[in-house]
Amino acid sequence: CSGGPRWTTAPREQARATIVYFMSRRAKEESSSFARAVDELLLDAPVDSVGTVDLRRYGGMLKRLAGSYLRKSADEALAHRRERRLARGVDASPAAVERWHLVGDFDGTLFDRFGVERDPAHPCAFILDSRGAVHGPFADAGSVVAAVHAQGIASPSHTMPSK
């Protein structure tokens, strides 16, 4: 990530903090590993996660196909998240599992709003705390987890070590 958000506060308060990931087609596995590592480290933390994928090149006739692929990827990610949670013996209810979302940015609005370049070379993340303040960008799982703890969003006792 270069730059950062063009704003520092979200429009209103939210129920819990949200980690917003900006994922890259160029670094698909790195993007998945980054989000998965944070998820495993903050397994029971009261946070939502939103993976954002740059899909500007798939407008027009390809938008439907890209949307279908994105939904399939999201379903697979939720299934893997449920499996990881079951394997670790933590809450695998729909309410806990479905705090992960995957969205396609077809017009570049989200990437532009956060100051993230198109299809970044590496994934990055921002944290929107419950007051709406924006923190980041963060380029690795350890930085995201440290920022979450610094905001008092989760305590170390609520985390589990990554594989």
Side-chain angles (χ1 to χ4, degrees):
C1 274
S2 60
R6 295 182 182 165
W7 46 282
T8 56
T9 305
R12 61 181 178 267
E13 291 187 10
Q14 52 190 26
R16 58 183 162 251
T18 302
I19 302 170
V20 181
Y21 299 93
F22 288 90
M23 306 174 110
S24 169
R25 289 184 318 272
R26 289 191 289 170
K28 187 176 179 179
E29 185 54 40
E30 182 184 0
S31 295
S32 295
S33 294
F34 177 38
R36 185 173 42 253
V38 173
D39 186 52
E40 289 177 1
L41 290 166
L42 297 175
L43 209 52
D44 274 344
V47 296
D48 285 320
S49 297
V50 177
T52 309
V53 182
D54 182 4
L55 295 177
R56 284 177 265 208
R57 72 185 313 187
Y58 298 108
M61 293 184 351
L62 294 177
K63 186 174 183 178
R64 245 172 105 168
L65 181 61
S68 175
Y69 178 76
L70 193 65
R71 280 187 295 281
K72 181 181 178 220
S73 294
D75 290 344
E76 290 172 358
L78 287 172
H80 291 299
R81 187 169 198 259
R82 185 176 299 105
E83 290 168 8
R84 284 195 313 272
R85 295 179 71 81
L86 285 169
R88 286 171 176 75
V90 297
D91 184 7
S93 69
V97 171
E98 294 171 4
R99 290 194 311 226
W100 167 256
H101 312 278
L102 186 61
V103 298
D105 189 357
F106 286 95
D107 65 4
T109 302
L110 289 170
F111 276 74
D112 291 346
R113 182 122 190 217
F114 280 85
V116 177
E117 68 270 13
R118 186 177 192 147
D119 196 26
H122 303 283
C124 64
F126 293 84
I127 297 171
L128 293 128
D129 67 26
S130 60
R131 296 176 316 277
V134 180
H135 308 273
F138 304 101
D140 62 84
S143 298
V144 173
V145 172
V148 166
H149 293 309
Q151 294 302 313
I153 298 168
S155 66
S157 63
H158 291 272
T159 64
M160 294 195 70
S162 183
K163 291 185 195 177

